[in-house]
Amino acid sequence: MKVIAHIETDFNSKFGVPRQSGVIQELEARIVFEPAYRNPEAFRGLEGFSHIWLIWHFSEAERQDWSPTVRPPRLGGNTRMGVFATRSPFRPNAIGLSSVRLTKIELDTPVGPVLHVAGADLMNGTPIYDIKPYLAYTDAHPEATGGFTDVLEKEIQPLKVQVDEEMLKELPADKREALLQVLAADPRPHYQKDPERVYGFEFAHKEVKFQVKDGVILVVGVF
């Protein structure tokens, strides 16, 4: 497998990254290609597609062995499910699959062609193996069932976010709404419910600190 590109996102660690692609459309990212794959001809016709598939490497989840069962965080980290019934990064092959919205293509930049996408669930610097167009007539299945996740998604509601406007101004204006959406989706592992604990993650080169009490996320600092 050859790495053809790397993605540039606002997350330098796994904490805070959305659990699935497309959940937070306000998140923007860039895909920058390796020199061998910067031929503009490779992108001919891509401008006609609204969405693309990214096939990528779980580079921060490498393991020498594998387990037939994993503990999905959505189930509280205590219930085991078959690895092939989950999207856990701990797989026989550490390969990820994400559907993202293609917002812009720049063919002539100092680093060659660059794809701008929205809704990615990848860490900054994640290696990408391939890109394929999303085809609505075959890839979309409105009647599909989601197994054990169907009940969970009905139960999970976005959290209310409280943040001082001055703290929010520490971020560029075009990053603020994305951060609010990331927080509302509750980036904590679902087995962590300590209302006194202060959580933190890096977003857009800033450290964001928060607590969760009574279904409300209180941002206590943006540094």
Side-chain angles (χ1 to χ4, degrees):
M1 297 283 282
K2 300 179 178 67
V3 174
I4 67 167
H6 290 81
I7 194 166
E8 297 177 355
T9 75
D10 288 316
F11 297 98
N12 283 327
S13 65
K14 291 183 289 185
F15 194 99
V17 175
R19 294 180 177 88
Q20 303 292 342
S21 59
V23 173
I24 302 178
Q25 285 294 317
E26 291 79 5
L27 287 174
E28 298 179 345
R30 300 192 333 152
I31 298 172
V32 179
F33 290 81
E34 294 296 295
Y37 305 98
R38 292 178 181 176
N39 188 331
E41 288 296 300
F43 305 87
R44 183 191 298 179
L46 188 61
E47 70 281 355
F49 295 91
S50 64
H51 293 72
I52 56 176
W53 289 106
L54 305 180
I55 301 170
W56 48 278
H57 180 206
F58 279 111
S59 53
E60 298 299 309
E62 285 283 7
R63 288 187 175 182
Q64 295 301 314
D65 56 358
W66 73 287
S67 171
T69 60
V70 295
R71 295 185 177 96
R74 284 292 198 188
L75 294 178
N78 296 315
T79 304
R80 284 194 172 273
M81 290 289 176
V83 66
F84 300 131
T86 75
R87 296 192 177 187
S88 167
F90 304 113
R91 323 187 63 77
N93 292 298
I95 295 174
L97 179 68
S98 297
S99 173
V100 297
R101 182 163 52 91
L102 182 61
T103 60
K104 184 169 66 172
I105 301 175
E106 292 183 292
L107 293 179
D108 187 18
T109 79
V111 292
V114 172
L115 304 184
H116 295 256
V117 299
D121 56 340
L122 287 74
M123 278 179 55
N124 185 45
T126 296
I128 294 176
Y129 288 134
D130 204 0
I131 290 171
K132 299 178 185 292
Y134 176 96
L135 305 178
Y137 77 90
T138 185
D139 293 346
H141 302 280
E143 76 285 1
T145 58
F148 64 87
T149 67
D150 281 345
V151 175
L152 294 174
E153 292 309 309
K154 291 178 181 178
E155 294 176 348
I156 297 172
Q157 300 295 325
L159 299 182
K160 182 179 179 180
V161 180
Q162 291 184 357
V163 55
D164 187 276
E165 286 296 327
E166 291 304 312
M167 290 184 187
L168 207 55
K169 289 179 181 178
E170 292 292 325
L171 289 169
D174 62 344
K175 303 289 185 182
R176 296 169 191 170
E177 182 58 32
L179 174 64
L180 294 177
Q181 294 299 322
V182 167
L183 291 168
D186 194 355
R188 299 174 301 166
H190 277 255
Y191 52 84
Q192 293 183 0
K193 303 293 184 181
D194 183 356
E196 301 304 319
R197 179 168 179 172
V198 176
Y199 302 87
F201 63 95
E202 186 178 342
F203 180 81
H205 306 294
K206 295 289 185 179
E207 188 72 17
V208 180
K209 300 286 188 181
F210 67 93
Q211 291 178 294
V212 183
K213 297 182 179 182
D214 300 322
V216 177
I217 284 192
L218 175 63
V219 179
V220 296
V222 179
F223 311 102

